[in-house]
Amino acid sequence: MASQKKSSQPANKTSAYEEHEEEQCCADTSCEKNEKQEPSSPKQGDFSDPVYKEIAIENGAINRMNRDELCAKCAELKLDTRGVKDVLKKRLKSYYKRQKLMHSAAANGNSAVYFDYICVVDYEATCEENNPPDYLHEIIEFPMVLIDTHTLEIKVVDEAETFHQVLKRAVSWLQEKELGTKYTYTFLTDGSWDMGKFLHTQCKLSCIRFPPFARKWINIRKSYGNFYKVPRTQTKLICMLENLGMQYDGRPHCGLDDSHNIARIAIHMLKDGCQLRVNECLHSGEPRSVPISAPIEGAPAPQNPKKRN
């Protein structure tokens, strides 16, 4: 019987025609299958400025603190005191780095965020207990949570109609927010499957071309692991929440509740100084990593879905 729980990842097979069509999903040849670690600094600039020595000294002092000392320092600076030791260390380091660069020429006008909005999606799709490799997942929940990266406010849309109708209404909702025209934006997911498997498969089942605005996204698991320097085993949704000192809010495997909790993690990461950037794309029907050297680009303006020929 079909259920709403996401399953283990089967191989994704496409026909020759579909491969040719999906080749257009990400024309950036810099996207690679092998994952690349994102360095803590988004700019590969000149580190000869004396401010970086000051930052290194602060980092060394933070590394020698125990958890109680880290909490006390965060409280003194009016920072969030929740989270495990590694999270608190990263929070303090990011705070001191921002403060020092703010008063230094080395900052070079570097913005705190890359996008005005981040659109969080977490589809729920049909699955079986033991999915065959060619199992076709159908999307049964299509929630969206929009993060304003400047105010850190959340806006929600949750639809429950046919996929084609829901996609059109989602596009209209994004257009009303002037995303891709007045404001820059991108998508964020919990893993590679929402865009790389579920949306890709559902578009084929519905005879709709894959939407250009969904071709690249932020995989928050990669961003979280690289930012806080933790292994993949600590990048599952519940684990990320707990490490940040939070509990899951809502009903697990409800698409809207999952999206809301993923957004909470993203907001904490932004507060801690993480510059969330696109790290995955769809290429030839398969999700691939986007290297740190790729240019920063927002998603294009959303348009209504087009039928496949």
Side-chain angles (χ1 to χ4, degrees):
M1 180 180 292
S3 70
Q4 296 184 8
K5 187 175 182 179
K6 294 178 184 177
S7 59
S8 59
Q9 302 183 13
N12 185 14
K13 298 180 179 179
T14 56
S15 67
Y17 170 77
E18 290 164 348
E19 274 197 15
H20 175 72
E21 180 178 289
E22 298 301 347
E23 185 76 26
Q24 305 304 314
C25 281
C26 180
D28 186 356
T29 56
S30 64
C31 295
E32 298 175 3
K33 287 186 177 179
N34 296 326
E35 295 182 7
K36 293 182 178 289
Q37 290 292 316
E38 297 180 22
S40 56
S41 174
K43 297 286 185 181
Q44 304 298 315
D46 180 11
F47 291 93
S48 63
D49 191 289
V51 71
Y52 290 108
K53 184 176 181 180
E54 297 175 18
I55 292 171
I57 292 172
E58 292 285 0
N59 288 347
I62 292 170
N63 287 335
R64 291 189 292 272
M65 292 181 182
N66 59 36
R67 191 179 185 282
D68 290 340
E69 292 170 329
L70 290 167
C71 284
K73 181 57 70 173
C74 283
E76 178 187 330
L77 298 171
K78 295 182 171 52
L79 300 176
D80 194 338
T81 58
R82 294 176 294 176
V84 297
K85 184 177 179 180
D86 287 340
V87 167
L88 295 172
K89 285 166 62 175
K90 186 65 179 182
R91 186 170 298 148
L92 279 174
K93 289 178 181 180
S94 295
Y95 171 82
Y96 282 117
K97 181 179 179 180
R98 288 197 303 271
Q99 292 300 308
K100 289 188 177 295
L101 288 178
M102 193 182 302
H103 305 291
S104 168
N108 197 26
N110 188 21
S111 174
V113 292
Y114 290 124
F115 309 101
D116 296 312
Y117 289 92
I118 294 176
C119 188
V120 180
V121 295
D122 191 76
Y123 305 125
E124 297 298 319
T126 58
C127 66
E128 296 178 353
E129 187 172 350
N130 295 304
N131 291 328
D134 58 350
Y135 182 81
L136 298 177
H137 301 269
E138 294 188 62
I139 293 176
I140 52 180
E141 290 186 47
F142 195 115
M144 281 189 180
V145 170
L146 194 64
I147 301 171
D148 184 324
T149 61
H150 303 289
T151 65
L152 300 184
E153 293 178 335
I154 291 177
K155 299 177 182 179
V156 178
V157 61
D158 185 30
E159 307 291 354
E161 303 176 54
T162 65
F163 175 74
H164 190 269
Q165 292 172 322
V166 170
L167 185 56
K168 286 183 67 175
R169 293 186 65 173
V171 166
S172 296
W173 187 70
L174 295 173
Q175 289 174 337
E176 288 173 7
K177 306 298 181 186
E178 299 182 273
L179 303 189
T181 52
K182 183 176 180 180
Y183 302 106
T184 58
Y185 80 110
T186 192
F187 283 85
L188 183 147
T189 65
D190 179 27
S192 304
W193 261 41
D194 293 280
M195 299 302 194
K197 181 63 178 178
F198 296 145
L199 184 59
H200 178 244
T201 299
Q202 185 64 62
C203 284
K204 289 194 294 183
L205 290 173
S206 301
C207 298
I208 296 173
R209 292 187 180 276
F210 192 88
F213 60 82
R215 291 171 183 170
K216 297 182 181 181
W217 61 90
I218 298 168
N219 179 342
I220 197 169
R221 295 193 183 195
K222 287 184 179 180
S223 299
Y224 181 95
N226 291 334
F227 184 67
Y228 293 115
K229 308 301 181 188
V230 298
R232 288 189 185 183
T233 54
Q234 295 185 33
T235 62
K236 293 183 179 180
L237 179 56
I238 299 298
C239 190
M240 288 190 287
L241 285 166
E242 290 177 350
N243 284 347
L244 290 170
M246 298 187 289
Q247 298 295 320
Y248 187 93
D249 183 15
R251 179 167 58 89
H253 302 299
C254 165
L256 187 58
D257 288 344
D258 281 354
S259 297
H260 179 75
N261 282 281
I262 295 165
R264 292 171 66 206
I265 293 170
I267 287 174
H268 263 261
M269 293 177 67
L270 290 169
K271 287 181 177 179
D272 283 348
C274 180
Q275 293 180 306
L276 291 168
R277 60 178 293 151
V278 168
N279 53 22
E280 286 189 343
C281 71
L282 190 70
H283 185 79
S284 298
E286 297 282 352
R288 292 190 181 180
S289 293
V290 174
I292 193 72
S293 57
I296 306 296
E297 296 178 336
Q303 296 181 345
N304 283 324
K306 297 180 180 179
K307 286 284 188 179
R308 286 177 180 266
N309 295 329

